[in-house]
Amino acid sequence: SAKPLEGRMKAAAEGVAALIGSPSDERLGALAAPSLNQAALRSQLEPLRSSYGACSVAETISGDGATDVRVRLECARGPLEARLKADSDGKLIETSFARPAGSPCVP
């Protein structure tokens, strides 16, 4: 089951969705905990932007709503799932992305 996104996690999820469509080192830095490998996340976001285009948070699929969630992103070229883990301050410590099961490949 999924709990609704709490304030800090909601902001983090919306921030990640925005970064897919429009990269920004400044915004990424504001979302990231010191332990997050920002270069690795940037390298994930670049192909997502090319494949999916602009995205927005659609729904919470699973998680506690505060520190560990899986959300569905609605993007210009198809849906995408993001798994986000955050520290107690709401700063991202881990991210991963996947095409939702049963959805067609993006163009």
Side-chain angles (χ1 to χ4, degrees):
S1 67
K3 292 187 177 181
L5 295 178
E6 294 180 9
R8 290 179 179 163
M9 183 55 88
K10 183 176 181 182
E14 289 171 347
V16 167
L19 286 172
I20 293 171
S22 176
S24 164
D25 287 340
E26 183 178 307
R27 285 185 288 133
L28 175 57
L31 293 172
S35 63
L36 181 72
N37 183 338
Q38 291 185 39
L41 179 53
R42 269 194 230 75
S43 70
Q44 289 179 314
L45 294 173
E46 182 60 34
L48 293 174
R49 183 169 37 91
S50 298
S51 297
Y52 289 90
C55 299
S56 61
V57 177
E59 66 180 309
T60 305
I61 299 168
S62 65
D64 64 9
T67 60
D68 188 356
V69 299
R70 203 169 94 229
V71 295
R72 180 180 175 99
L73 304 177
E74 287 300 327
C75 303
R77 294 185 206 101
L80 178 66
E81 287 184 10
R83 172 99 188 258
L84 308 173
K85 290 186 179 185
D87 62 18
S88 59
D89 293 326
K91 300 292 186 177
L92 294 174
I93 57 174
E94 187 179 322
T95 61
S96 62
F97 302 92
R99 182 173 45 91
S103 66
C105 294
V106 295

